[in-house]
């Protein structure tokens, strides 16, 4: 069945699972403590979000530990249709285990959107290439600009959003139901597209598709020789990005602005590990740089003692001005 654990990795690797389920959870607050307890007892690390609309997050651990968590969720009939994707990493990609309570499991900020009631058509990875190759189909990357910058599907439109909350406004500014007859959207694991397609269907768009399981499921199932994916896929853990084999990619990440950075960017005079990179150097105040340098000093001291410095969470991506909104280009010229 869909979501069955089948990905292989070395026995010492940590299994990383991105999961979500849109379902009404009136008692979501009461689920926090027992869910956290199960995850901690299973030796898992990561973050899970609970909200009235469902569950979302990424966890890592042994296969047995992950299975204990999945089994616990499946014991509740509301989580029977839980969706997840697997990959592997040779170390823990998270520092601790957290379960958080939220208003939404993925924040779009549109109250009337409910993917458990209204969504678009699902396209399995094996069906996706036909949509990408169709010159009459508008393929839209619903992720944010820093994610799109390191990889996307061939010919996909980049809305240039800084935050998923920007997406509804981009739709209002750029899409027309009488002009765009066939639309296909994708994201990392499928969850943002659940809301994106729900938004478009509720706004009267006719044929709306999205990639089931997202980019991660596509990379898992589609051979590189048949792939329409170009580049790497950003992930929200210490791996930063994964390649087509779902192994850790070539990107690092700036702690200050959380932007993916290349080895070439790390050779810039504006790069200082844990402090700044070419994307944020000009926007950081001297005080902020000083605080980041002090934090990095503590990280290095902990490493010299053979310890891991956990500290506080990384800063939010709030640096920089909002980019101009992406405009639709002719998909037929680059679909191939």
């Amino acid at each position: 069945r869909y979501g069955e654990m089948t990905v292989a990795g070395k026995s010492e690797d940590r299994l990383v699972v991105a999961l979500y389920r849109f379902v009404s959870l009136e008692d979501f607050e009461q689920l926090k403590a027992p869910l956290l307890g199960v995850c901690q007892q299973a030796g898992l690390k990561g973050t899970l979000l609970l909200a009235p609309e469902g569950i979302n997050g990424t966890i890592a651990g042994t296969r047995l530990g992950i299975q204990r968590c999945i089994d616990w969720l499946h014991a509740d009939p509301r989580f029977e249709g839980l969706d997840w994707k697997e990959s592997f990493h040779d170390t823990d990609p998270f520092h601790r285990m957290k379960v958080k309570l939220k208003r939404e499991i993925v924040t779009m900020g549109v109250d009337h959107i409910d993917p458990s009631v209204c969504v678009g058509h699902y396209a399995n990875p094996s069906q996706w290439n036909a949509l990408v190759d169709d010159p009459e189909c508008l393929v839209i990357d619903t992720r944010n600009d820093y994610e799109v910058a390191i990889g996307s599907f061939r010919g996909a439109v980049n809305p240039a959003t800084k935050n998923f909350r920007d997406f509804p406004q981009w739709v209002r500014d750029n899409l027309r139901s009488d002009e765009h007859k066939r639309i296909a959207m994708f994201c990392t694991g499928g969850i943002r597209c659940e809301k994106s397609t729900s938004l478009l269907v509720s706004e009267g768009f006719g044929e709306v598709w999205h990639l089931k399981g997202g980019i991660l499921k596509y990379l898992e199932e589609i051979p590189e020789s048949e792939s329409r994916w170009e580049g790497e896929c950003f992930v929200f853990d210490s791996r930063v990005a994964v390649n087509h084999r779902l192994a850790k990619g070539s990107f690092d990440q700036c702690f200050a602005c959380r932007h993916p950075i290349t080895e070439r960017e790390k050779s810039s005079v504006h790069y200082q590990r844990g402090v700044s990179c070419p994307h944020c150097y000009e926007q950081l105040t001297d005080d902020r740089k000083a605080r980041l340098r002090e934090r990095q000093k503590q990280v290095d001291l902990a490493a010299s003692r053979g310890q891991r410095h956990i500290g506080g969470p990384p800063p939010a991506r709030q640096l920089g001005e909002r980019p101009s909104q992406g405009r639709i280009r002719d998909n037929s010229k680059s679909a191939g």
Side-chain angles (χ1 to χ4, degrees), residues 247-263:
K248 178 174 168 42
S250 61
F251 287 83
D252 201 345
Q253 192 171 33
C254 173
F255 181 84
C257 66
R258 312 309 295 158
H259 199 289
I261 50 177
T262 64
E263 289 302 312

Side-chain angles (χ1 to χ4, degrees), residues 119-124 127-128 131 183-185 193 197 201 205-212:
V119 290
H121 305 290
Y122 291 105
N124 290 322
Q127 301 169 308
W128 184 250
L131 292 170
I183 296 174
M185 297 185 287
C193 286
T197 59
V201 171
F205 287 83
E207 188 177 354
V208 182
W209 294 81
H210 81 273
L211 176 59
K212 186 173 179 62

Side-chain angles (χ1 to χ4, degrees), residues 15-55:
L15 179 62
V16 184
V17 170
L19 60 85
Y20 76 89
R21 168 71 167 158
F22 280 104
V23 63
S24 178
L25 297 178
E26 295 181 358
D27 60 341
F28 75 103
E29 294 175 328
Q30 283 69 51
L31 294 174
K32 177 180 178 178
L35 177 57
L36 179 61
V38 168
C39 291
Q40 291 176 331
Q41 291 170 15
L44 305 182
K45 295 179 181 179
T47 300
L48 293 174
L49 307 180
L50 291 169
E53 66 180 8
I55 186 172

Side-chain angles (χ1 to χ4, degrees), residues 227-256:
S227 177
R228 305 299 190 270
W229 178 258
E230 298 175 340
E232 297 182 6
C233 178
F234 183 90
V235 291
F236 296 89
D237 58 56
S238 65
R239 295 172 298 172
V240 184
V242 295
N243 58 29
H244 209 294
R245 298 181 299 280
L246 294 177
K248 178 174 168 42
S250 61
F251 287 83
D252 201 345
Q253 192 171 33
C254 173
F255 181 84

Side-chain angles (χ1 to χ4, degrees), residues 100-203:
K100 298 182 177 181
L101 302 178
K102 297 287 186 178
R103 291 182 60 185
E104 301 177 66
I105 56 174
V106 58
T107 304
M108 175 181 272
V110 180
D111 292 337
H112 69 275
I113 298 303
D114 186 353
S116 65
V117 174
C118 169
V119 290
H121 305 290
Y122 291 105
N124 290 322
S126 60
Q127 301 169 308
W128 184 250
N129 284 357
L131 292 170
V132 174
D133 294 345
D134 182 358
E136 301 300 320
C137 183
L138 184 68
V139 180
I140 303 172
D141 194 329
T142 67
R143 301 172 304 152
N144 298 321
D145 55 355
Y146 60 88
E147 299 171 80
V148 181
I150 67 173
S152 191
F153 282 107
R154 187 183 308 164
V157 169
N158 175 14
T161 54
K162 202 73 173 177
N163 188 288
F164 192 48
R165 282 180 172 272
D166 300 335
F167 188 76
Q169 185 61 50
W170 182 86
V171 169
R172 289 190 287 270
D173 291 344
N174 293 276
L175 301 183
R176 300 290 180 270
S177 59
D178 59 346
E179 179 182 349
H180 303 104
K181 302 292 188 181
R182 195 179 202 206
I183 296 174
M185 297 185 287
F186 64 93
C187 58
T188 308
I191 184 170
R192 277 178 281 189
C193 286
E194 297 270 7
K195 282 203 165 179
S196 299
T197 59
S198 182
L199 173 69
L200 264 65
V201 171
S202 69
E203 294 292 330

